[in-house]
Amino acid sequence: MARASDIERFWTYVVKGPSTDDCWIWVGAVGDDGYGRFWTAGDGTRQRTMRPQRFLYRHLTGVDLTPDVMLLHRCDVPLCVHVDVDRDASHVRIGGAGENQRDAARAGRQRNRHTTERFASLTRADRVARSRRLRDTVREHGWDPELMARAMSGADSGQDTLW
Ligand SMILES: [Zn+2]
């Protein structure tokens, strides 16, 4: 089970959108794969690091995720940690390899309004850059849909005139 101190610290890195179906954006560390990183006390003898959505999923659902079990984002926002025990409300759910393609197709149809390009179609470097831009934006400005959309679209300062 997760330690209370880890859980408390976890939420200091999360910014929730105002609506119940909004994403919950991780504003802590971002790894070079574009996903968040959360360090926990683990078993007390050594630290563990994991993707924050996995930490919360385990905590809220009680499901022990083995390394081969993937979590899929229906919102296509890798930094989103919006886990709910209600499968329909959750942005993150367990998926197998076979479900990946179906999910990708679904995500394409139900594109998050902040998403202008499919995360999976980006290069690794672009994924990291996009996640860090989003993280920095939310960390600095809080939940601001316009700024978030800009961060996710890849528009840099040189393209500001387009907006
Ligand atoms: Zn989400």
Coordinates of all heavy atoms in Angstrom, one line a residue, residues 23 75 80 82 91, ligand 1:
C23 N -8.8 16.9 -17.5 CA -7.6 16.3 -17.1 C -7.0 16.8 -15.8 O -7.4 17.9 -15.4 CB -6.5 16.5 -18.2 SG -6.9 15.6 -19.8
C75 N -7.5 10.4 -23.1 CA -7.4 11.8 -23.4 C -6.2 12.1 -24.2 O -6.0 13.3 -24.7 CB -7.4 12.6 -22.1 SG -6.1 12.2 -21.0
C80 N -1.5 13.4 -17.9 CA -2.8 13.4 -17.2 C -2.8 12.2 -16.2 O -2.4 11.1 -16.5 CB -4.0 13.2 -18.1 SG -5.5 13.0 -17.3
H82 N -5.7 11.6 -14.3 CA -7.1 11.5 -13.9 C -7.6 10.0 -13.8 O -8.0 9.5 -14.8 CB -7.9 12.3 -14.8 CG -9.3 12.5 -14.3 ND1 -10.1 13.5 -14.8 CD2 -10.1 11.8 -13.4 CE1 -11.3 13.5 -14.2 NE2 -11.3 12.4 -13.4
H91 N -9.7 8.7 -17.1 CA -9.0 9.0 -18.3 C -7.9 7.9 -18.6 O -7.3 7.9 -19.6 CB -8.3 10.4 -18.2 CG -9.2 11.5 -18.3 ND1 -8.8 12.8 -18.7 CD2 -10.5 11.6 -17.9 CE1 -9.9 13.6 -18.6 NE2 -10.9 12.9 -18.1
Ligands
ZN1 ZN -6.9 13.3 -19.1

